[in-house]
mmCIF file of all heavy atoms in Angstrom:
data_model
loop_
_atom_site.group_PDB
_atom_site.id
_atom_site.type_symbol
_atom_site.label_atom_id
_atom_site.label_comp_id
_atom_site.label_asym_id
_atom_site.label_seq_id
_atom_site.Cartn_x
_atom_site.Cartn_y
_atom_site.Cartn_z
ATOM 1 N N ARG J 194 18.558 10.073 -16.789
ATOM 2 C CA ARG J 194 17.549 9.134 -17.242
ATOM 3 C C ARG J 194 16.273 9.247 -16.411
ATOM 4 O O ARG J 194 16.325 9.355 -15.188
ATOM 5 C CB ARG J 194 18.062 7.689 -17.140
ATOM 6 C CG ARG J 194 19.189 7.336 -18.058
ATOM 7 C CD ARG J 194 19.577 5.894 -17.931
ATOM 8 N NE ARG J 194 18.513 4.966 -18.352
ATOM 9 C CZ ARG J 194 18.646 3.650 -18.367
ATOM 10 N NH1 ARG J 194 19.776 3.091 -17.974
ATOM 11 N NH2 ARG J 194 17.632 2.893 -18.746
ATOM 12 N N ASP J 195 15.157 9.207 -17.058
ATOM 13 C CA ASP J 195 13.877 9.095 -16.344
ATOM 14 C C ASP J 195 13.036 7.966 -16.920
ATOM 15 O O ASP J 195 11.852 7.860 -16.623
ATOM 16 C CB ASP J 195 13.110 10.429 -16.327
ATOM 17 C CG ASP J 195 12.855 10.980 -17.737
ATOM 18 O OD1 ASP J 195 13.048 10.237 -18.713
ATOM 19 O OD2 ASP J 195 12.428 12.150 -17.828
ATOM 20 N N ASP J 196 13.656 7.121 -17.762
ATOM 21 C CA ASP J 196 12.951 5.940 -18.317
ATOM 22 C C ASP J 196 13.085 4.763 -17.352
ATOM 23 O O ASP J 196 13.329 3.640 -17.758
ATOM 24 C CB ASP J 196 13.545 5.569 -19.681
ATOM 25 C CG ASP J 196 15.007 5.186 -19.611
ATOM 26 O OD1 ASP J 196 15.748 5.737 -18.749
ATOM 27 O OD2 ASP J 196 15.438 4.336 -20.419
ATOM 28 N N LEU J 197 12.915 5.069 -16.062
ATOM 29 C CA LEU J 197 13.179 4.090 -15.027
ATOM 30 C C LEU J 197 11.940 3.877 -14.137
ATOM 31 O O LEU J 197 11.004 4.687 -14.092
ATOM 32 C CB LEU J 197 14.341 4.551 -14.136
ATOM 33 C CG LEU J 197 15.698 4.760 -14.835
ATOM 34 C CD1 LEU J 197 16.660 5.392 -13.856
ATOM 35 C CD2 LEU J 197 16.236 3.443 -15.375
ATOM 36 N N ILE J 198 11.982 2.762 -13.433
ATOM 37 C CA ILE J 198 11.069 2.499 -12.325
ATOM 38 C C ILE J 198 11.954 2.133 -11.148
ATOM 39 O O ILE J 198 12.854 1.304 -11.290
ATOM 40 C CB ILE J 198 10.065 1.377 -12.648
ATOM 41 C CG1 ILE J 198 9.196 1.033 -11.448
ATOM 42 C CG2 ILE J 198 10.754 0.133 -13.165
ATOM 43 C CD1 ILE J 198 8.126 2.025 -11.200
ATOM 44 N N TYR J 199 11.744 2.770 -9.984
ATOM 45 C CA TYR J 199 12.557 2.466 -8.801
ATOM 46 C C TYR J 199 11.886 1.342 -8.019
ATOM 47 O O TYR J 199 10.696 1.428 -7.682
ATOM 48 C CB TYR J 199 12.712 3.711 -7.932
ATOM 49 C CG TYR J 199 13.388 4.874 -8.604
ATOM 50 C CD1 TYR J 199 13.029 6.184 -8.291
ATOM 51 C CD2 TYR J 199 14.405 4.693 -9.527
ATOM 52 C CE1 TYR J 199 13.666 7.264 -8.876
ATOM 53 C CE2 TYR J 199 15.045 5.754 -10.133
ATOM 54 C CZ TYR J 199 14.671 7.035 -9.818
ATOM 55 O OH TYR J 199 15.284 8.110 -10.423
ATOM 56 N N ILE J 200 12.677 0.323 -7.700
ATOM 57 C CA ILE J 200 12.127 -0.868 -7.049
ATOM 58 C C ILE J 200 12.949 -1.204 -5.810
ATOM 59 O O ILE J 200 14.169 -1.148 -5.835
ATOM 60 C CB ILE J 200 12.152 -2.074 -8.013
ATOM 61 C CG1 ILE J 200 11.222 -1.832 -9.215
ATOM 62 C CG2 ILE J 200 11.780 -3.362 -7.298
ATOM 63 C CD1 ILE J 200 11.241 -2.926 -10.255
ATOM 64 N N THR J 201 12.261 -1.550 -4.749
ATOM 65 C CA THR J 201 12.915 -2.055 -3.565
ATOM 66 C C THR J 201 12.131 -3.196 -2.976
ATOM 67 O O THR J 201 10.928 -3.413 -3.305
ATOM 68 C CB THR J 201 13.098 -0.944 -2.506
ATOM 69 O OG1 THR J 201 14.006 -1.409 -1.496
ATOM 70 C CG2 THR J 201 11.788 -0.558 -1.863
ATOM 71 N N CYS J 202 12.775 -3.965 -2.107
ATOM 72 C CA CYS J 202 12.125 -5.120 -1.472
ATOM 73 C C CYS J 202 12.513 -5.139 -0.014
ATOM 74 O O CYS J 202 13.662 -4.881 0.369
ATOM 75 C CB CYS J 202 12.586 -6.419 -2.168
ATOM 76 S SG CYS J 202 11.933 -7.926 -1.422
ATOM 77 N N ILE J 203 11.522 -5.446 0.837
ATOM 78 C CA ILE J 203 11.757 -5.571 2.283
ATOM 79 C C ILE J 203 11.301 -6.973 2.674
ATOM 80 O O ILE J 203 10.193 -7.152 3.209
ATOM 81 C CB ILE J 203 10.983 -4.469 3.073
ATOM 82 C CG1 ILE J 203 11.306 -3.098 2.466
ATOM 83 C CG2 ILE J 203 11.351 -4.495 4.552
ATOM 84 C CD1 ILE J 203 10.451 -1.994 3.012
ATOM 85 N N PRO J 204 12.146 -7.993 2.397
ATOM 86 C CA PRO J 204 11.686 -9.378 2.576
ATOM 87 C C PRO J 204 11.597 -9.849 4.018
ATOM 88 O O PRO J 204 11.242 -11.001 4.269
ATOM 89 C CB PRO J 204 12.777 -10.164 1.821
ATOM 90 C CG PRO J 204 13.992 -9.324 1.955
ATOM 91 C CD PRO J 204 13.510 -7.914 1.898
ATOM 92 N N TRP J 205 11.865 -8.944 4.954
ATOM 93 C CA TRP J 205 11.832 -9.305 6.372
ATOM 94 C C TRP J 205 10.498 -8.933 7.024
ATOM 95 O O TRP J 205 10.240 -9.319 8.155
ATOM 96 C CB TRP J 205 12.968 -8.585 7.108
ATOM 97 C CG TRP J 205 14.284 -8.780 6.453
ATOM 98 C CD1 TRP J 205 15.146 -9.860 6.558
ATOM 99 C CD2 TRP J 205 14.887 -7.882 5.506
ATOM 100 N NE1 TRP J 205 16.240 -9.660 5.760
ATOM 101 C CE2 TRP J 205 16.132 -8.465 5.090
ATOM 102 C CE3 TRP J 205 14.530 -6.651 4.976
ATOM 103 C CZ2 TRP J 205 16.989 -7.849 4.173
ATOM 104 C CZ3 TRP J 205 15.387 -6.031 4.063
ATOM 105 C CH2 TRP J 205 16.593 -6.617 3.674
ATOM 106 N N VAL J 206 9.644 -8.172 6.311
ATOM 107 C CA VAL J 206 8.428 -7.633 6.903
ATOM 108 C C VAL J 206 7.248 -7.785 5.938
ATOM 109 O O VAL J 206 7.355 -7.402 4.757
ATOM 110 C CB VAL J 206 8.588 -6.141 7.253
ATOM 111 C CG1 VAL J 206 7.301 -5.587 7.878
ATOM 112 C CG2 VAL J 206 9.784 -5.905 8.152
ATOM 113 N N SER J 207 6.140 -8.326 6.424
ATOM 114 C CA SER J 207 4.887 -8.340 5.635
ATOM 115 C C SER J 207 4.132 -7.059 5.945
ATOM 116 O O SER J 207 3.220 -7.027 6.771
ATOM 117 C CB SER J 207 4.038 -9.571 6.000
ATOM 118 O OG SER J 207 4.715 -10.761 5.635
ATOM 119 N N PHE J 208 4.513 -6.000 5.299
ATOM 120 C CA PHE J 208 3.983 -4.675 5.642
ATOM 121 C C PHE J 208 2.533 -4.490 5.155
ATOM 122 O O PHE J 208 2.073 -5.182 4.236
ATOM 123 C CB PHE J 208 4.877 -3.540 5.124
ATOM 124 C CG PHE J 208 5.060 -3.519 3.616
ATOM 125 C CD1 PHE J 208 4.044 -3.128 2.762
ATOM 126 C CD2 PHE J 208 6.277 -3.913 3.045
ATOM 127 C CE1 PHE J 208 4.214 -3.098 1.398
ATOM 128 C CE2 PHE J 208 6.480 -3.878 1.667
ATOM 129 C CZ PHE J 208 5.430 -3.461 0.838
ATOM 130 N N THR J 209 1.853 -3.548 5.770
ATOM 131 C CA THR J 209 0.513 -3.167 5.326
ATOM 132 C C THR J 209 0.504 -1.736 4.800
ATOM 133 O O THR J 209 -0.489 -1.303 4.214
ATOM 134 C CB THR J 209 -0.507 -3.282 6.464
ATOM 135 O OG1 THR J 209 -0.076 -2.493 7.571
ATOM 136 C CG2 THR J 209 -0.665 -4.738 6.896
ATOM 137 N N ASN J 210 1.582 -1.019 5.020
ATOM 138 C CA ASN J 210 1.718 0.340 4.466
ATOM 139 C C ASN J 210 3.206 0.627 4.313
ATOM 140 O O ASN J 210 4.052 -0.073 4.868
ATOM 141 C CB ASN J 210 1.068 1.360 5.382
ATOM 142 C CG ASN J 210 0.765 2.675 4.644
ATOM 143 O OD1 ASN J 210 1.018 2.793 3.459
ATOM 144 N ND2 ASN J 210 0.213 3.651 5.371
ATOM 145 N N LEU J 211 3.514 1.705 3.572
ATOM 146 C CA LEU J 211 4.905 1.994 3.252
ATOM 147 C C LEU J 211 5.030 3.458 2.849
ATOM 148 O O LEU J 211 4.052 4.042 2.354
ATOM 149 C CB LEU J 211 5.368 1.097 2.087
ATOM 150 C CG LEU J 211 6.833 1.179 1.669
ATOM 151 C CD1 LEU J 211 7.678 0.347 2.618
ATOM 152 C CD2 LEU J 211 7.019 0.635 0.256
ATOM 153 N N SER J 212 6.193 4.030 3.073
ATOM 154 C CA SER J 212 6.480 5.359 2.508
ATOM 155 C C SER J 212 7.882 5.343 1.926
ATOM 156 O O SER J 212 8.726 4.532 2.341
ATOM 157 C CB SER J 212 6.357 6.450 3.599
ATOM 158 O OG SER J 212 7.333 6.269 4.595
ATOM 159 N N HIS J 213 8.123 6.179 0.925
ATOM 160 C CA HIS J 213 9.432 6.272 0.297
ATOM 161 C C HIS J 213 10.078 7.589 0.622
ATOM 162 O O HIS J 213 9.404 8.599 0.856
ATOM 163 C CB HIS J 213 9.255 6.168 -1.237
ATOM 164 C CG HIS J 213 8.835 4.833 -1.726
ATOM 165 N ND1 HIS J 213 9.711 3.799 -1.933
ATOM 166 C CD2 HIS J 213 7.604 4.356 -2.046
ATOM 167 C CE1 HIS J 213 9.049 2.750 -2.392
ATOM 168 N NE2 HIS J 213 7.774 3.055 -2.446
ATOM 169 N N THR J 214 11.408 7.592 0.632
ATOM 170 C CA THR J 214 12.118 8.865 0.680
ATOM 171 C C THR J 214 11.989 9.522 -0.683
ATOM 172 O O THR J 214 12.064 8.850 -1.707
ATOM 173 C CB THR J 214 13.615 8.654 0.996
ATOM 174 O OG1 THR J 214 14.175 7.764 0.032
ATOM 175 C CG2 THR J 214 13.792 8.069 2.384
ATOM 176 N N ILE J 215 11.754 10.813 -0.680
ATOM 177 C CA ILE J 215 11.550 11.510 -1.945
ATOM 178 C C ILE J 215 11.896 12.986 -1.761
ATOM 179 O O ILE J 215 11.664 13.556 -0.698
ATOM 180 C CB ILE J 215 10.106 11.345 -2.449
ATOM 181 C CG1 ILE J 215 9.960 11.777 -3.891
ATOM 182 C CG2 ILE J 215 9.130 12.065 -1.562
ATOM 183 C CD1 ILE J 215 8.660 11.344 -4.544
ATOM 184 N N SER J 216 12.468 13.590 -2.784
ATOM 185 C CA SER J 216 12.762 15.018 -2.742
ATOM 186 C C SER J 216 11.559 15.777 -3.276
ATOM 187 O O SER J 216 10.819 15.272 -4.108
ATOM 188 C CB SER J 216 14.006 15.339 -3.559
ATOM 189 O OG SER J 216 13.806 14.990 -4.935
ATOM 190 N N PHE J 217 11.377 17.005 -2.820
ATOM 191 C CA PHE J 217 10.265 17.808 -3.301
ATOM 192 C C PHE J 217 10.648 18.476 -4.612
ATOM 193 O O PHE J 217 10.738 19.689 -4.730
ATOM 194 C CB PHE J 217 9.835 18.820 -2.248
ATOM 195 C CG PHE J 217 9.084 18.202 -1.104
ATOM 196 C CD1 PHE J 217 9.703 17.895 0.078
ATOM 197 C CD2 PHE J 217 7.734 17.897 -1.261
ATOM 198 C CE1 PHE J 217 9.002 17.302 1.124
ATOM 199 C CE2 PHE J 217 7.009 17.301 -0.225
ATOM 200 C CZ PHE J 217 7.654 17.007 0.961
ATOM 201 N N ASN J 218 10.896 17.656 -5.597
ATOM 202 C CA ASN J 218 11.217 18.074 -6.939
ATOM 203 C C ASN J 218 10.009 17.795 -7.810
ATOM 204 O O ASN J 218 9.669 16.642 -8.043
ATOM 205 C CB ASN J 218 12.441 17.306 -7.448
ATOM 206 C CG ASN J 218 12.758 17.566 -8.898
ATOM 207 O OD1 ASN J 218 12.138 18.421 -9.540
ATOM 208 N ND2 ASN J 218 13.734 16.824 -9.427
ATOM 209 N N LYS J 219 9.373 18.824 -8.293
ATOM 210 C CA LYS J 219 8.114 18.652 -9.030
ATOM 211 C C LYS J 219 8.303 17.949 -10.361
ATOM 212 O O LYS J 219 7.313 17.523 -10.970
ATOM 213 C CB LYS J 219 7.426 19.995 -9.224
ATOM 214 C CG LYS J 219 6.913 20.597 -7.924
ATOM 215 C CD LYS J 219 6.024 21.815 -8.158
ATOM 216 C CE LYS J 219 5.477 22.330 -6.839
ATOM 217 N NZ LYS J 219 4.551 23.466 -7.040
ATOM 218 N N GLU J 220 9.532 17.807 -10.791
ATOM 219 C CA GLU J 220 9.785 17.073 -12.034
ATOM 220 C C GLU J 220 10.017 15.577 -11.795
ATOM 221 O O GLU J 220 10.075 14.788 -12.730
ATOM 222 C CB GLU J 220 11.009 17.653 -12.762
ATOM 223 C CG GLU J 220 10.768 19.028 -13.342
ATOM 224 C CD GLU J 220 11.949 19.560 -14.113
ATOM 225 O OE1 GLU J 220 12.718 18.739 -14.663
ATOM 226 O OE2 GLU J 220 12.140 20.769 -14.176
ATOM 227 N N ASP J 221 10.129 15.207 -10.518
ATOM 228 C CA ASP J 221 10.333 13.784 -10.204
ATOM 229 C C ASP J 221 9.012 13.044 -10.366
ATOM 230 O O ASP J 221 8.143 13.107 -9.500
ATOM 231 C CB ASP J 221 10.849 13.644 -8.760
ATOM 232 C CG ASP J 221 11.065 12.180 -8.364
ATOM 233 O OD1 ASP J 221 10.852 11.294 -9.217
ATOM 234 O OD2 ASP J 221 11.455 11.927 -7.230
ATOM 235 N N SER J 222 8.892 12.360 -11.474
ATOM 236 C CA SER J 222 7.643 11.641 -11.762
ATOM 237 C C SER J 222 7.914 10.152 -11.994
ATOM 238 O O SER J 222 7.102 9.441 -12.588
ATOM 239 C CB SER J 222 6.973 12.245 -13.004
ATOM 240 O OG SER J 222 7.911 12.468 -14.041
#
């Protein structure tokens, strides 16, 4: 499936920036 949106929450921190883990798969959109 790629009809998805990946969502996460970090309710312990009021962040100002963020990065995600991601594979270098050019089809991952």
Side-chain angles (χ1 to χ4, degrees):
R194 294 183 64 178
D195 56 12
D196 63 328
L197 300 172
I198 175 76
Y199 299 147
I200 295 176
T201 192
C202 177
I203 308 171
W205 310 278
V206 180
S207 295
F208 60 73
T209 56
N210 200 2
L211 185 80
S212 64
H213 290 277
T214 56
I215 193 167
S216 61
F217 285 98
N218 173 6
K219 292 189 177 184
E220 291 183 28
D221 179 1
S222 45

